[in-house]
Amino acid sequence: MQFDIITIFPEFFSGPLDHGVLRRAIKSGICSVATHDLRSFTHDRHRTVDDRPFGGGEGMVLKPEPIYDAVFSLGITPKATRNTTKETVVLLSAQGRPFTQAMAHELATTERVVFLCGRYEGVDERINDLLCDREISIGDYVLSGGELAAAVIIDSVVRLLPGVLGNPDSARFESFGADDTGNAHEPGAVPPSTHGSGGLLDYPHYTRPAEFHGVPIPEVLMGGNHDQIRRWRRQMALAKTLRNRPELLKGVALSAEDRRYLQTLSPEADLQG
Ligand code: SAM
């Protein structure tokens, strides 16, 4: 899979791409990431990438011509003539659709993603109209540039590519992970996953020592009874999701046992899917 990043700060990416899972994925050739300096696509002495907004107002806007030329230099055509399931052009923007794990999975099925990193007040909207088939926000806050957002998205997509994580189950059974069965669990049955997946947040993890600053690990984890461990992990995932992200529960296939457990935590919880 190939990532291209169009930015006025190409050197920004040497840090985020140079560690851990991402570094290994790039080194082993599973993905490649190329940065492209937007200023190389300007034609004036000052290498100007921005201009004042029509209609007045605060700040500067990234001009359309250098971005259009940069995208074309990559062999990418306007969205009307492109197979956007193979080659997608993403505008990073606080006004975009919120980025989710489901979107990360979707992007991981494409062959090439081109990121346009905005700066200042943003990018001339005609670039969005002509070239971008996705406009993505990484959260409800305003960053000073799209570079951090591109790095976040690349990280979350690359770890989903086959061969990147040593154990592929790691990406399936973690927060927001898809439910293996795709179905609600049989009433009263222990859910098939050993983990808090199926759209829930992950359950809490513990490692050695068994006691730390006087706090022991939960006893069930020492017992070796895998059914009990599975049930406990599911309950912890339910409890954490209820506490931190209750809105996610509406999209989760809950078994009768899940519902009973949640009712014990919060009798008034609204669990309608
Ligand atoms: N005027 C814009 C607004 O109010 O929506 C904010 C522009 S911001 C200062 C500059 C650039 O940072 C944007 O063009 C975008 O590329 C990037 N950016 C800011 N917040 C972002 C977010 N939440 N997700 C993705 N990119 C973001």
Side-chain angles (χ1 to χ4, degrees), residues 95-202:
Q95 304 137 43
R97 285 173 56 210
F99 187 60
T100 60
Q101 186 71 1
M103 264 189 215
H105 278 281
E106 206 183 306
L107 288 177
T109 65
T110 65
E111 291 171 12
R112 190 176 193 189
V113 183
V114 178
F115 291 104
L116 308 186
C117 301
R119 280 272 154 182
Y120 317 121
E121 287 306 317
V123 174
D124 185 303
E125 191 66 17
R126 288 165 294 183
I127 288 295
N128 195 10
D129 297 339
L130 290 169
L131 296 179
C132 302
D133 45 282
R134 292 164 207 258
E135 182 177 7
I136 299 181
S137 161
I138 62 161
D140 289 349
Y141 38 77
V142 178
L143 300 165
S144 42
E147 288 77 8
L148 277 169
V152 165
I153 295 174
I154 291 173
D155 187 295
S156 63
V157 171
V158 167
R159 59 199 302 287
L160 300 176
L161 298 177
V164 169
L165 296 183
N167 178 358
D169 281 353
S170 307
R172 267 170 51 217
F173 299 141
E174 60 189 355
S175 297
F176 317 110
D179 188 329
D180 276 349
T181 62
N183 300 314
H185 311 301
E186 286 302 309
V190 178
S193 163
T194 55
H195 296 64
S197 59
L200 294 174
L201 300 181
D202 202 0

Side-chain angles (χ1 to χ4, degrees), residues 246-254 259 269-273:
E247 78 283 6
L248 293 179
L249 288 171
K250 294 198 176 204
V252 173
L254 298 171
R259 287 174 191 280
D270 174 12
L271 305 176
Q272 297 312 307

